[in-house]
Amino acid sequence: MNKRWLRRMDFTLIGATAAIVVMSLIVIGSATHINTAGGDHYWFVQKQGAFVVLNVLFAIFLMNFDYKALQNYGRNLYIFNAVMLLLVMIIGQTALGAQRWIQLGPITLQPSEFSKIIMIIALAAMLEDRVGKLNTVSDILPVLGYVALPFFLVLKQPDLGTSLVFIAILLGMMFVAGVNLRILAAGFAAGVAASPLLWLFLKDYQKMRLKVFLDPSVDPLGSGYHIIQSKIAIGSGLIFGKGLFGGTQSQLNFLPENHTDFIFAVVGEELGFVGAAALLLLYLVVLWRGVKIARDASDTFGRLLAVGITSMLAFHVLVNVGMTTGIMPVTGIPLPLMSYGVSSLTTNLIAITILLNIHMRKAKFVF
């Protein structure tokens, strides 16, 4: 590996990301060691760890290519994304009332996870020529339409959480592209005013999640069970936690999805306020580096990519932590780099790799 290549790396971002991934493996091991999948107490953490290694090797490979080349593939990636999401509707597997997964041998992939990073690349390529030109409704409508297709395909699965991630990405990138803020504010106000109409289109379980958000006791053994157990787990961790493998809610399986969507509750219970605060600080470092990389990017495409990735990560952290602490409705959004899942892990590590690539090439140099 070239020494100049190494000097260009953002080791602060790498260190924060590595710390989160290591913490993830430790907490996943603690949360799942009593689940004897295939007779192996640590099957989940071994699988996640294997894909961490594969993704790191893939990231090293990707760093040899200039991120600017992605701009040429924006339209093709958009089409591939649409086809991939359509295939989910045709051949996808159904679980927990949603059709979101495609089985490839022993690996279960969730295309909607990959669609996030694909959408960031495609949208950055589209907006690159429109920076400073989003001044009227007619200027903005094509951008909204571009995002609308994958938005509704994911919403159809149904996956409201991932659909909302598209909106967060769109708003962040349009803001940097210089959208007319008055139009954006008017659109937001219209959306808020029309939000009660969405109730008519929500499925029964989604309506119940909103009711549970307001009052978990309305269905304490059903939709409210997750959030009740999550809040108990986090609250019982106090300052320093009960220690790894010592959390009662997690270890006794009172806390559902403790290695995926509700892994932050395991952190709160077993590592306490100190562990949870340390994890949030690491996320803050990652987001800070993302913003700095966007600011220092050498071109508009790179700036848009960095903002889209940072918006995606920030929204995930905000919603997942809010969900597990009871200040936001349950949406099924994983915690980046922490939650168990091959698709989520791969998507987020690719996103971090793109940020590193943008940082490394913020000034011209020869390899």
Side-chain angles (χ1 to χ4, degrees):
M1 189 176 293
N2 195 300
K3 290 183 178 180
R4 286 178 294 177
W5 197 88
L6 286 174
R7 285 199 299 268
R8 294 279 176 166
M9 298 300 290
D10 187 337
F11 287 104
T12 302
L13 177 58
I14 293 174
T17 301
I20 294 172
V21 171
V22 170
M23 181 181 288
S24 167
L25 294 175
I26 294 171
V27 176
I28 289 173
S30 176
T32 62
H33 78 285
I34 57 175
N35 298 323
T36 56
D40 190 340
H41 289 279
Y42 297 100
W43 182 84
F44 288 99
V45 70
Q46 288 171 359
K47 182 179 178 182
Q48 188 82 344
F51 277 94
V52 167
V53 174
L54 290 175
N55 275 288
V56 168
L57 294 176
F58 184 53
I60 294 173
F61 172 75
L62 289 180
M63 290 299 294
N64 290 285
F65 301 92
D66 194 331
Y67 70 90
K68 297 182 181 69
L70 292 173
Q71 188 172 1
N72 301 322
Y73 300 101
R75 182 174 298 178
N76 292 335
L77 286 172
Y78 182 86
I79 295 171
F80 171 77
N81 190 33
V83 172
M84 183 174 62
L85 294 175
L86 284 170
L87 281 176
V88 174
M89 299 174 61
I90 300 171
I91 64 173
Q93 292 189 335
T94 301
L96 301 176
Q99 189 172 349
R100 305 176 188 170
W101 297 270
I102 293 179
Q103 190 71 36
L104 297 176
I107 303 174
T108 302
L109 297 179
Q110 186 174 351
S112 60
E113 282 293 327
F114 298 110
S115 70
K116 301 170 191 174
I117 193 66
I118 293 175
M119 193 66 245
I120 290 171
I121 297 170
L123 187 57
M126 181 197 193
L127 287 174
E128 199 269 342
D129 292 329
R130 299 170 185 258
V131 172
K133 302 176 183 178
L134 301 175
N135 300 313
T136 65
V137 173
S138 59
D139 295 331
I140 297 173
L141 283 179
V143 181
L144 298 181
Y146 199 65
V147 178
L149 176 60
F151 173 87
F152 284 111
L153 287 175
V154 171
L155 189 63
K156 180 67 176 175
Q157 295 181 2
D159 189 352
L160 178 60
T162 299
S163 298
L164 294 176
V165 175
F166 286 136
I167 295 178
I169 292 169
L170 174 65
L171 292 177
M173 295 177 72
M174 286 181 67
F175 178 80
V176 171
V179 67
N180 188 317
L181 295 181
R182 290 184 178 179
I183 296 178
L184 195 63
F188 179 78
V192 172
S195 59
L197 296 177
L198 293 176
W199 184 263
L200 301 175
F201 300 95
L202 294 178
K203 295 184 179 294
D204 290 339
Y205 81 92
Q206 292 172 328
K207 293 179 180 179
M208 181 55 69
R209 283 183 175 180
L210 291 176
K211 293 178 181 178
V212 163
F213 165 62
L214 298 174
D215 181 11
S217 64
V218 298
D219 191 16
L221 299 179
S223 297
Y225 183 79
H226 291 69
I227 188 58
I228 290 173
Q229 295 300 323
S230 178
K231 291 167 73 174
I232 291 173
I234 294 173
S236 64
L238 299 177
I239 301 297
F240 298 106
K242 299 176 180 178
L244 291 171
F245 305 95
T248 54
Q249 304 305 116
S250 176
Q251 302 299 323
L252 299 179
N253 280 333
F254 287 109
L255 179 65
E257 309 297 333
N258 60 352
H259 62 305
T260 54
D261 295 343
F262 284 86
I263 195 168
F264 186 76
V266 181
V267 174
E269 182 181 29
E270 299 191 350
L271 302 180
F273 174 81
V274 172
L279 177 59
L280 293 177
L281 181 60
L282 289 172
Y283 280 123
L284 183 62
V285 172
V286 171
L287 297 178
W288 163 58
R289 298 308 298 175
V291 171
K292 189 175 187 304
I293 288 170
R295 186 194 66 184
D296 297 340
S298 61
D299 67 314
T300 302
F301 178 67
R303 183 172 296 108
L304 289 168
L305 278 179
V307 168
I309 290 170
T310 305
S311 298
M312 177 187 73
L313 294 175
F315 187 79
H316 267 263
V317 174
L318 177 65
V319 173
N320 183 275
V321 173
M323 173 185 76
T324 55
T325 55
I327 62 175
M328 286 190 177
V330 175
T331 57
I333 290 181
L335 191 58
L337 304 170
M338 277 293 295
S339 293
Y340 172 83
V342 172
S343 300
S344 176
L345 173 71
T346 301
T347 297
N348 289 310
L349 286 179
I350 289 175
I352 295 295
T353 301
I354 293 175
L355 286 179
L356 291 171
N357 201 308
I358 296 170
H359 177 270
M360 189 175 68
R361 291 173 169 84
K362 66 182 179 180
K364 294 181 179 180
F365 70 102
V366 180
F367 282 98

